[in-house]
Amino acid sequence: MVELDISSPMTVSTASGEASVTSSGNQTGPQPVAPTKKKRNLPGTPDPDAEVIALSPKTLMATNRFVCEICSKGFQRDQNLQLHRRGHNLPWKLRQRTSKEIRKRVYVCPEPSCVHHDPTRALGDLTGIKKHFCRKHGEKKWKCERCSKKYAVQSDWKAHLKTCGTREYKCDCGTLFSRRDSFITHRAFCDALAQESARGGQVLPSTNTEENPEIEKAVSSSPTAFTPSATVLSIQSPGAEISENPVGVLQQAPAIISLSTTGTATSTSSSSSSSSSTSVFASIFAPSTTPVASQPSSTFSDFICAMGRSECSTTLPLAASAAEPTLRLSSASLYLSNTTSSLFPNPDQSHRHYAPSPQPAMSATALLQKAAQMGAAASNASLLRGLGLAMSPPPSSAQLDSSGSSSSTQWSGHVKGDSNPVGAGLGLGLPSEGVGGGPALTGLMMGGGPSSLLVNKPTTLDLLGLGIGPGGASTPGLSALLTSIGGGSLDLAAAGSPFGVGGAAAEAAPDLKHNGSALL
Amino acid sequence: MKAELRGNTPPISLQNPNLFAAPQNSLSGALRGCLGNLDGACIEKLLLHCASALESNDVTLAQQVMWVLNNVASSLGDTNQRLTSWFLRALISRASRVCPNTAATFSGGGSSGGVPRRLMTVTELAGYVDLIPWHRFGFCAANSAIFNAIQGCPAVHVLDFSITHCMQWPTLIDALAKRPEGPPSVRITVPGFRPPVPPFLNVTSEEVGLRLANFAKFGDVPFEFNVIEDSSLPTMGEIISKESCSIYFESLLSRLNLSMLNIRDDEALVVNFQNWLRYLPDDRNGMARNMSLRDAFLEVIKGLNPRIVVVVDDYSDLSASTLTSRITTCFNYFWIPFDALETFLPKDNHQRIEYESDIGQKIEDIIASEGLQRIERLESGPKLSQRMKSSGFLSLPFVEETVKEVKSLLDEHASGWGMKREEDMLVLTWKGHNSVFATAWFPNGVED
C-alpha cells in the first residue's frame, strides 16, 4: 500500500500520485517517504504530533488513492484496502501498519492561495480536505433547479435538494425561516406574539407550517387562562418577602390588556416588585413602537444621534426609567449605526486608504523595511505625524483610521476630542485628521494628563506604561529586526526615544548605523 | 531582495524561546519566512513578536511590529486580516494600560476597550444566536439531555446561568409542550447578575421572562419566571466593571440556597451552565479549603441536588498565564468562527461584523487584561470534566437520540460543521477543529 506523505511547514511540496506509487513500490511496508514532520499545534487539538500531509490536486481528486502494493489494485478507502490485503495471506510482519495507525494526520490544501494551505489551518480528515478542495477550487457542476444554487460536490447538492423549498416556517411578523429551531426561538420573542396576547385572541401559526395542534388548542382557551399560566416574580434580596403571592402579582395581570402604550412608567422605585412589574408589563407592548422614550432618554437619544454618524437605530435600555440621566458618557457609547465606529477599520470607504482592496498595499518586504525606517522619523514632530508622511498620503489612511472625532469618544468614552501628540508614541501611522496625531488614540492612551506623561518619559512611566529607562532595551530587538530586513537607509537618531521627542538616546544609533551600512 | 543575516545579531530574550528553532536567528529567521506572503502563520508570529516586545519593554520593536500588523489588518478583509485587526487593537489596548487609576476613567471603569456596547432587541438576539450553529449546538444538546432527564416529572425548575438571555428555552418549552404525557410546569430562574460581555440586550431579564411566559402560554405550558434579585447590583443603565464581577458572583453564590430559590419538593431541578463557568475566578490562593470561587459555586450547586447539570462552553483553553501562549491559542481558536462566517456571509454584512466585534471584545479581554480584569478564564472541555468530577459529579452520557438530533441540526447548516464524541462530551467541529463542547452531569449522591 502506498500513500503519499510529504509534509513541511511553510513550503509544502507536492508530488504526483503516480510517482509515489512507482517509487515506493518496492518498499516492504507502508513507510512514509522521509518527511520533515512539522509539529504544529492545531486549534483546539493540542496534538503536537499531528502529521501534516500535503497532497497534490491530482491525488486529492483521485478516486483510488489506496493502492495495494502486491497487485496494484486501487481502492477508495483505506479500510477497503486493508480488507483486500488480508486476502493476499501476507506474512505477519508485512501485515502490520506500524506507527501509521497512531499518528493523527491532518491535511492541507494544495492551492497556495487558499487559507487551508497553511498547516495551522489544516483540516482533520481526508474526506474533508477533498470536499473542501472540490468545493472551493473545483468546478461547480451540480445545480439546484429551484433556487439555482450551484455545488461542486454531489453530496452537498443532494443535501440541499432535501431541504430546498420543502419546509418553510413563517412567523406572523412575516419573516421566513428554513429551520424550525430558529423559527421557534424567533417566534417566542417576536413582537407579533406579544401583540397576539394583547388582543387575547387567535394565535394561528402561519400557513404551510407543521405547527402543532397544541398551539391551536391554546387559542380557544379563554383569556382567563392567562392568569394561572403566566406569572413573573422577582425574588427579593433577603429581608424582603421571598416571593410574591402569585395572586398578588396576578392582580396585575388582567390589567395588561387594558394598559395602553402610554410610554414607560417612569417609576424610579424598583424596590417594590409590583410597580416595576407594571412598568415592565406596560413596556412589552411598546416594543414595536418607539423604543422606550421616557423623558430622560429622549434627549439622551438625541445626544447619541448627534454623536454617532448616520442612521441612528438607537435602542435604549428599557429600564432607562430607573436610571437617571446621570448615565455616564461611557454608557452612552452605544453601537448605533451599522458601521463600526471603532478605532480601526472603517467600512466607510472614503476614509480608507486601501478602499478598493483590503489587501495590504505593500509587500511584506516593503512593510518590514518601512517599519525599520519608522525609527528615523522626525524628532520633534510627533512620531505619529512623521509616520503619516512616510507611510502614505495623509488624511485618509490605513486601517487605524479613526473616523471622525466622534469615534474617539466611543473608543474611550470620555475623550477630549482634540489631538495631541500622545498618540505619537505608538507611531502607528494614524492619519493626521486635520489636526496632527490621531485623536482616537489619544483618548485611548491617556486617561488624564496626557502632556505630563509625555513630557517626562524615560524615568517615569512611558507611554506604554513600561517604565523604560533611557536608551532602554530597544537596541537588540531593533538591530535584529533590521538585519533581517536587510537594510535600507537607517537613520535611527530617534530610535532610542519611544516618543520621538527630540534628544533621545543616541547611543543606540551608532551601532545600528553600523549594522545598517554593513547590510547594504 | 532576500533578507540575509549579517553581522552579529544579539539574541532576543523572549517569553517563549522554544518558539523558534535556534535562538540565534530568532527574530530574523521567523520574519524571513514572512517575506513571502503574510499568511496566518506569519501573522501569528508577528503578534507573538509584538507581545514579547511589549513584555520585555522593547517599545520600538513593538511599534514596528504593530506598524506592520496595521498594514495587514483590515476589518473588511479576509479572515486573517479581520482577526489581525482585532488582535492589534487588543495589543494596543494592552500597551496603553498606563496605570490602574486611569482605567477607572475609561468606559465603565473596566477595560471594555472602548468598543461601544451594542444593545440588541430580543428578535435581533434570536437571529444572532442562529447565525452559525455555535450556540444552537449547545442549546440542542443541552435541551435534549434535559428533556430526557426530566421524563415523567410533573414539574421542572431550570436554573439558567448563561450569557444568551434565555434564547435556549423556546425550543425546550416547545418540546415539552408536545410531550405525550402532557407538559410539566416549568419554572426558569435567572441570576440578576450577568457578566458584562456581549451579546447585550436592550431590555431587562424580566421582560425576556415575560415574553417566554407569553410563549409558554400558547403552548399551554404552566410557566413561571424568576430573577434572583440583588440589591447591590447597579441598575440597568450602569455598566458593571470587570473587576467587580467576582464580588457579584460571590453575592450570587450566597443566594443559591433552597429557600431563596424557593425550590419546591416536587420539582426536578435542572442547572444550565452555558458559557458561564468561565467567568468565575479560579484562583485558589488564600481561599478557604483551597477552593476557588468556581469550585465553591459547583459545590453549592451540587448541594441543591439537581437532577441534571449541563455545561456548555467553547472548546479552548484561555487561562494560560503567559501572554504569548494565550495569543497563539486565541489566534488559532477564534479563527474558527471567523472562518465559518466567512464562508457564507459577505465581507460587509453587518451581522457578521457585529458577531466578529463581539469576539473581538473577548480577544481584547484575553490579550489586554490581566488579573481580575481578565474575566475570560475559559478552560477546555477535558479540564472542565475533570473539575466536575472532582466536585462530586458523575458524567451523564448523551443518548443516541440526542446525538441524532444534533447531527440533523448540523446537517441543516453549512457543510463544514460536524460533531464528534470525546468520552462523554459532544464536541462541535468546524472543518475538523474543535469549537464547542457540551457535557451533562448529575451529583454522585455522596454527601461531603
Side-chain angles (χ1 to χ4, degrees):
Chain A
M1 181 210 69
V2 172
E3 258 192 19
L4 183 57
D5 292 340
I6 295 184
S7 57
S8 69
M10 295 295 192
T11 57
V12 179
S13 55
T14 63
S16 69
E18 290 86 330
S20 66
V21 170
T22 51
S23 65
S24 33
N26 50 2
Q27 283 178 356
T28 50
Q31 297 303 323
V33 183
T36 32
K37 264 164 222 79
K38 177 67 178 181
K39 274 69 169 140
R40 278 256 169 215
N41 281 349
L42 294 168
T45 332
D47 186 353
D49 293 326
E51 183 187 333
V52 182
I53 301 179
L55 303 165
S56 74
K58 206 163 188 177
T59 324
L60 261 192
M61 301 311 296
T63 44
N64 292 343
R65 280 190 59 243
F66 300 94
V67 183
C68 174
E69 71 264 29
I70 300 171
C71 60
S72 299
K73 191 165 151 106
F75 296 88
Q76 285 211 30
R77 287 204 188 83
D78 188 42
Q79 298 98 301
N80 299 354
L81 171 64
Q82 293 312 314
L83 274 170
H84 160 85
R85 282 175 81 234
R86 273 192 228 155
H88 282 303
N89 292 323
L90 294 166
W92 177 83
K93 270 201 181 151
L94 292 178
R95 239 185 270 150
Q96 300 301 324
R97 291 192 58 212
T98 60
S99 59
K100 274 285 196 73
E101 315 272 27
I102 311 163
R103 215 180 294 119
K104 175 176 159 61
R105 287 206 210 97
V106 293
Y107 303 86
V108 291
C109 180
E111 172 61 43
S113 64
C114 179
V115 66
H116 292 292
H117 192 66
D118 176 355
T120 52
R121 304 277 180 257
L123 299 185
D125 66 343
L126 182 59
T127 321
I129 191 73
K130 280 167 95 164
K131 278 200 175 168
H132 154 78
F133 184 73
C134 212
R135 272 185 208 118
K136 255 299 182 64
H137 313 295
E139 179 208 335
K140 293 188 159 76
K141 310 188 277 189
W142 307 94
K143 182 178 163 193
C144 169
E145 293 305 328
R146 226 182 290 227
C147 62
S148 36
K149 255 188 165 170
K150 288 202 175 149
Y151 295 88
V153 178
Q154 189 184 21
S155 55
D156 290 349
W157 173 71
K158 277 196 191 157
H160 168 80
L161 282 184
K162 276 193 215 154
T163 58
C164 182
T166 48
R167 283 191 303 181
E168 256 180 6
Y169 303 90
K170 187 168 173 226
C171 179
D172 293 337
C173 68
T175 325
L176 279 168
F177 298 88
S178 58
R179 290 197 331 272
R180 189 160 189 278
D181 46 28
S182 36
F183 165 63
I184 296 280
T185 310
H186 166 92
R187 186 155 174 276
F189 296 106
C190 184
D191 299 343
L193 199 69
Q195 281 157 13
E196 288 295 342
S197 80
R199 293 202 284 275
Q202 309 287 316
V203 171
L204 284 171
S206 281
T207 52
N208 68 346
T209 70
E210 51 198 65
E211 254 333 73
N212 32 31
E214 284 91 34
I215 302 283
E216 296 185 29
K217 256 189 268 159
V219 165
S220 51
S221 61
S222 57
T224 53
F226 198 117
T227 39
S229 57
T231 64
V232 175
L233 305 174
S234 287
I235 299 182
Q236 300 295 331
S237 45
E241 323 85 75
I242 294 301
S243 61
E244 292 280 328
N245 182 345
V247 175
V249 175
L250 289 178
Q251 278 156 4
Q252 306 287 341
I256 293 177
I257 299 179
S258 53
L259 276 176
S260 54
T261 62
T262 47
T264 339
T266 46
S267 56
T268 49
S269 66
S270 48
S271 52
S272 79
S273 63
S274 44
S275 61
S276 59
S277 313
T278 312
S279 62
V280 170
F281 278 161
S283 55
I284 60 168
F285 298 103
S288 49
T289 58
T290 54
V292 187
S294 51
Q295 297 306 52
S297 316
S298 53
T299 47
F300 197 44
S301 64
D302 293 343
F303 173 66
I304 294 186
C305 285
M307 253 177 50
R309 248 166 303 135
S310 39
E311 66 269 30
C312 199
S313 54
T314 329
T315 46
L316 296 172
L318 176 67
S321 54
E324 297 108 333
T326 55
L327 279 171
R328 296 191 297 251
L329 198 69
S330 51
S331 56
S333 307
L334 296 177
Y335 181 76
L336 295 172
S337 52
N338 286 344
T339 56
T340 316
S341 44
S342 61
L343 178 62
F344 295 157
N346 184 357
D348 182 358
Q349 295 295 320
S350 62
H351 285 257
R352 287 171 46 88
H353 171 64
Y354 298 109
S357 73
Q359 303 298 325
M362 291 187 262
S363 76
T365 320
L367 278 182
L368 290 169
Q369 269 188 316
K370 265 263 157 59
Q373 288 168 8
M374 268 166 45
S379 47
N380 57 349
S382 71
L383 185 59
L384 180 67
R385 235 177 280 134
L387 262 198
L389 293 174
M391 184 178 112
S392 59
S396 57
S397 166
Q399 287 77 355
L400 279 190
D401 188 10
S402 62
S403 40
S405 55
S406 61
S407 67
S408 60
T409 333
Q410 281 155 350
W411 174 253
S412 72
H414 76 296
V415 155
K416 332 153 213 245
D418 52 5
S419 76
N420 65 59
V422 167
L426 270 195
L428 286 166
L430 284 181
S432 331
E433 285 253 353
V435 202
L441 246 194
T442 69
L444 165 66
M445 294 304 157
M446 298 297 143
S451 38
S452 59
L453 270 163
L454 222 206
V455 164
N456 210 19
K457 323 39 32 218
T459 48
T460 56
L461 287 174
D462 65 21
L463 176 65
L464 298 179
L466 302 173
I468 296 184
S474 51
T475 316
L478 186 56
S479 60
L481 176 65
L482 294 173
T483 50
S484 73
I485 293 171
S489 65
L490 307 170
D491 176 23
L492 300 159
S497 157
F499 301 100
V501 178
E507 58 259 33
D511 286 348
L512 295 161
K513 270 207 169 111
H514 173 72
N515 279 348
S517 53
L519 285 169
L520 289 175
Chain B
M1 152 177 45
K2 257 197 144 131
E4 281 177 297
L5 195 56
R6 275 187 252 209
N8 293 328
T9 318
I12 317 280
S13 74
L14 296 162
Q15 288 298 95
N16 286 354
N18 305 327
L19 220 49
F20 308 103
Q24 198 57 18
N25 44 338
S26 44
L27 186 59
S28 52
L31 286 174
R32 188 184 305 159
C34 293
L35 293 184
N37 64 323
L38 287 165
D39 66 351
C42 183
I43 293 172
E44 183 187 330
K45 285 209 173 77
L46 286 173
L47 289 172
L48 291 169
H49 284 303
C50 187
S52 53
L54 287 176
E55 303 242 288
S56 57
N57 291 349
D58 190 342
V59 182
T60 312
L61 179 58
Q63 288 174 10
Q64 292 170 340
V65 184
M66 281 181 180
W67 190 89
V68 177
L69 286 171
N70 179 31
N71 277 273
V72 174
S74 161
S75 76
L76 292 185
D78 67 22
T79 309
N80 279 330
Q81 288 176 303
R82 295 165 94 113
L83 257 183
T84 306
S85 77
W86 289 107
F87 270 87
L88 181 56
R89 180 196 201 110
L91 283 168
I92 291 176
S93 180
R94 183 188 183 88
S96 68
R97 301 285 142 104
V98 180
C99 40
N101 307 352
T102 57
T105 54
F106 281 109
S107 46
S111 44
S112 61
V115 175
R117 296 181 72 185
R118 188 185 74 249
L119 304 180
M120 290 190 257
T121 65
V122 279
T123 11
E124 283 171 355
L125 182 59
Y128 175 94
V129 298
D130 271 319
L131 199 58
I132 47 176
W134 197 270
H135 296 282
R136 184 56 63 188
F137 165 82
F139 293 172
C140 181
N143 285 348
S144 179
I146 293 171
F147 186 88
N148 291 329
I150 60 173
Q151 263 173 10
C153 297
V156 60
H157 184 180
V158 177
L159 255 189
D160 181 25
F161 299 105
S162 84
I163 59 165
T164 45
H165 305 275
C166 298
M167 287 293 133
Q168 178 172 347
W169 307 120
T171 37
L172 179 66
I173 294 173
D174 180 69
L176 289 173
K178 299 211 279 291
R179 219 163 64 149
E181 67 263 38
S185 66
V186 177
R187 285 173 68 201
I188 297 184
T189 300
V190 298
F193 164 70
R194 177 186 172 277
V197 294
F200 296 110
L201 260 193
N202 66 348
V203 297
T204 59
S205 302
E206 280 88 358
E207 159 137 359
V208 172
L210 275 170
R211 299 211 183 206
L212 275 183
N214 216 5
F215 177 70
K217 172 181 77 104
F218 288 123
D220 250 351
V221 178
F223 186 80
E224 279 179 48
F225 188 85
N226 309 310
V227 178
I228 305 175
E229 290 290 352
D230 186 344
S231 47
S232 67
L233 281 175
T235 49
M236 172 125 180
E238 289 176 46
I239 296 177
I240 293 171
S241 77
K242 294 206 278 179
E243 295 89 345
S244 51
C245 276
S246 50
I247 299 173
Y248 293 123
F249 275 124
E250 279 168 17
S251 174
L252 172 63
L253 189 55
S254 67
R255 286 168 169 70
L256 293 181
N257 55 60
L258 294 175
S259 62
M260 195 142 326
L261 297 173
N262 193 21
I263 293 182
R264 300 163 195 164
D265 287 332
D266 61 337
E267 59 187 15
L269 182 63
V270 172
V271 180
N272 185 58
F273 287 115
Q274 190 253 331
N275 284 26
W276 178 271
L277 286 176
R278 49 154 68 174
Y279 296 111
L280 290 169
D282 194 27
D283 189 12
R284 295 202 169 106
N285 294 333
M287 300 287 288
R289 291 187 287 142
N290 207 31
M291 286 176 69
S292 67
L293 189 56
R294 197 179 295 185
D295 297 320
F297 210 92
L298 287 174
E299 189 185 55
V300 166
I301 294 292
K302 181 179 182 232
L304 296 175
N305 197 23
R307 175 164 258 183
I308 180 175
V309 177
V310 273
V311 183
V312 172
D313 218 322
D314 294 344
Y315 198 131
S316 177
D317 203 301
L318 302 175
S319 54
S321 51
T322 63
L323 176 64
T324 39
S325 49
R326 290 204 306 273
I327 288 184
T328 309
T329 318
C330 273
F331 190 69
N332 288 316
Y333 180 71
F334 289 118
W335 170 83
I336 298 174
F338 272 65
D339 188 59
L341 290 168
E342 154 98 356
T343 48
F344 74 102
L345 285 175
K347 292 195 187 326
D348 54 358
N349 176 279
H350 82 275
Q351 271 186 312
R352 175 181 174 187
I353 291 175
E354 283 166 12
Y355 207 93
E356 290 174 352
S357 157
D358 289 346
I359 297 177
Q361 285 196 37
K362 281 203 179 81
I363 294 174
E364 157 117 25
D365 183 76
I366 296 163
I367 304 294
S369 312
E370 290 290 350
L372 271 184
Q373 271 195 358
R374 176 154 45 96
I375 58 174
E376 299 277 346
R377 308 173 180 111
L378 180 63
E379 59 185 346
S380 66
K383 268 204 197 156
L384 185 283
S385 295
Q386 205 40 55
R387 183 188 299 265
M388 293 298 286
K389 287 177 188 153
S390 330
S391 300
F393 289 94
L394 293 174
S395 163
L396 185 60
F398 290 96
V399 299
E400 267 318 302
E401 215 180 293
T402 304
V403 175
K404 270 200 226 144
E405 236 183 275
V406 176
K407 274 209 178 115
S408 69
L409 162 79
L410 294 179
D411 282 341
E412 290 179 338
H413 280 89
S415 46
W417 292 108
M419 185 198 74
K420 68 180 193 193
R421 295 175 103 143
E422 231 179 72
E423 293 173 19
D424 285 330
M425 278 195 302
L426 286 187
V427 182
L428 173 71
T429 59
W430 168 254
K431 294 185 178 172
H433 298 295
N434 295 347
S435 315
V436 179
F437 70 85
T439 56
W441 307 88
F442 63 98
N444 64 11
V446 172
E447 294 304 321
D448 288 331

